[in-house]
Amino acid sequence: MRQNRQIYRGTTARALTAFAVIAVLAGAPRIYAHTMAGTVSSVTGQVQIQKAGATAAAATAGQAVSQSDRIITGSDGHVVIVLTDQSKLELGASTSITLDQYAGGGSAPTKVSLFSGILRSVVNANGGPANYQVHTPNAVAAVRGTRFDVGYSEGSIRPGYDGCDRYTDAAVFQGTVDLASASDPNSGTEIGPGYEASVPCAQPPTAAGPLGMTGAFSMGGGNAGFTGPPPGSGGAPPPQCPVCTGPNM
């Protein structure tokens, strides 16, 4: 009887181990599908991609980009990333982002954190609620489908904002963007095409004004390049915007 119990226990343990291995292997493709986000379309100048637990390495065209990756450009850096849902991210000079969450066109929003510099997003619409968000240290910009720039800068005080040296700027070229202070998500203001607005420090967003007239940083419309370099960029604009050409962009 004791020998039978030992045989039963050994068989059960082996069966459970085999089941666990099968479950892991079966789940692997799904995990990869959730973490894989897109590829590097083009890169010029100094651009690095830092993956979890690894040292940042130079980015190359065709390189895979995954959820949680951090992308950093130098003062002469410029990179375009095409996501699997065909949305595009363009990073200007002296820019740092993390792809925090990638939904791939699903119901959950894609979330990008912008720590410095300027990020241009060309987002595909899915007809549902806002499905793409850019988070900065002091603001959140949420959209459905549009083309817009978000810039974050700190270290200098703009006229009229004594004591404030942190700013998030949003410039909209197509669609609409809801820009809100991170400290008060209900403070959002809607920015339509051809307009821009800013969030100074922890204050509510400014009223939207025409592009190029509020002092906000952006890459400019079409292929114009930066309307003004962010602090620390060395004044070097990126090359012409490759994701903004064509009648549908």
Side-chain angles (χ1 to χ4, degrees):
M1 181 68 70
R2 179 178 300 173
Q3 184 178 7
N4 290 339
R5 284 200 298 268
Q6 290 175 341
I7 293 173
Y8 174 77
R9 289 171 181 169
T11 302
T12 302
R14 286 193 295 271
L16 291 173
T17 300
F19 177 79
V21 171
I22 292 172
V24 170
L25 292 176
R30 287 192 293 271
I31 294 172
Y32 181 78
H34 282 298
T35 57
M36 177 65 180
T39 57
V40 174
S41 174
S42 65
V43 57
T44 58
Q46 185 181 17
V47 179
Q48 293 183 321
I49 296 180
Q50 183 175 19
K51 296 184 178 292
T55 302
T60 58
Q63 180 177 354
V65 176
S66 302
Q67 180 173 292
S68 79
D69 284 359
R70 184 158 188 162
I71 301 97
I72 307 165
T73 65
S75 60
D76 63 343
H78 177 265
V79 64
V80 176
I81 297 167
V82 180
L83 302 179
T84 58
D85 67 356
Q86 299 307 303
S87 294
K88 299 176 183 179
L89 308 179
E90 180 185 3
L91 283 68
S94 302
T95 297
S96 175
I97 71 167
T98 298
L99 187 56
D100 297 319
Q101 176 175 298
Y102 180 62
S107 58
T110 293
K111 296 180 180 180
V112 179
S113 287
L114 172 66
F115 303 101
S116 64
I118 298 177
L119 169 68
R120 168 163 290 172
S121 305
V122 180
V123 183
N124 285 340
N126 66 357
N131 65 335
Y132 178 86
Q133 300 173 3
V134 177
H135 293 245
T136 72
N138 73 325
V140 178
V143 303
R144 275 190 294 274
T146 188
R147 177 163 62 89
F148 71 108
D149 294 353
V150 175
Y152 178 75
S153 60
E154 59 183 39
S156 62
I157 298 175
R158 296 180 183 177
Y161 295 100
D162 291 346
C164 176
D165 64 352
R166 297 186 301 144
Y167 303 88
T168 293
D169 305 311
V172 180
F173 307 104
Q174 292 178 350
T176 58
V177 171
D178 182 79
L179 181 66
S181 169
S183 61
D184 183 8
N186 296 320
S187 67
T189 185
E190 188 173 276
I191 310 171
Y195 285 83
E196 60 190 16
S198 301
V199 175
C201 291
Q203 301 178 34
T206 64
L211 289 171
M213 296 184 66
T214 71
F217 289 120
S218 75
M219 292 186 188
N223 299 320
F226 280 116
T227 57
S233 71
Q240 291 185 337
C241 170
V243 302
C244 304
T245 57
N248 296 323
M249 305 302 285

